[in-house]
Amino acid sequence: MQHSAEMISLQMQRTALAAEILYRFYSEYETRLLAEKLEHGLLEFDDVRAMLYRLLTDENANPTPFAEELAASYDSVYIDEYQDVNETQHRIFEAISTERNRFMVGDI
């Protein structure tokens, strides 16, 4: 069965529309859920981690002045169990340390 370019283009447009609708729905859900959590003082670890990341990095994922101030105040940053660190945590550690004062220990 061969698909024409028009048919493929139409299917891609439909897929893009569905993805946009899902993105808007999930974004609105996430916003409302966080508002409810904040209202009731019920944050989860992932919420706190995300808030910390936003506090320490700008929209381009560069350290904020606050993060740079923290980084300058540490002689060393020791991270144990590094194999359990996710991407957000890694970026947080990058924001509050330098390559010269960050020491990571973990399994390969």
Side-chain angles (χ1 to χ4, degrees):
M1 181 172 176
Q2 194 172 21
H3 298 286
S4 70
E6 289 175 15
M7 185 181 229
I8 292 171
S9 176
L10 179 62
Q11 189 60 42
M12 289 177 73
Q13 289 173 5
R14 288 179 181 162
T15 300
L17 178 60
E20 183 179 348
I21 290 168
L22 285 171
Y23 173 79
R24 287 182 183 186
F25 172 79
Y26 179 72
S27 294
E28 182 65 23
Y29 170 79
E30 189 175 48
T31 299
R32 290 182 186 196
L33 179 61
L34 182 57
E36 284 290 319
K37 287 178 180 180
L38 288 170
E39 183 178 328
H40 297 287
L42 300 170
L43 295 176
E44 298 175 86
F45 179 76
D46 287 343
D47 300 322
V48 175
R49 180 176 48 207
M51 289 175 178
L52 178 60
Y53 179 74
R54 286 193 297 275
L55 179 67
L56 297 174
T57 60
D58 64 18
E59 61 278 351
N60 297 316
N62 296 315
T64 61
F66 177 64
E68 290 172 347
E69 184 180 321
L70 279 176
S73 71
Y74 296 129
D75 293 327
S76 59
V77 175
Y78 176 81
I79 307 161
D80 195 15
E81 299 294 333
Y82 188 75
Q83 74 277 0
D84 297 329
V85 169
N86 68 25
E87 185 66 24
T88 303
Q89 291 167 315
H90 173 76
R91 300 230 182 235
I92 289 169
F93 291 133
E94 282 184 327
I96 63 169
S97 64
T98 68
E99 288 184 13
R100 297 182 57 82
N101 73 350
R102 185 172 51 241
F103 184 76
M104 301 165 287
V105 175
D107 297 335
I108 296 175

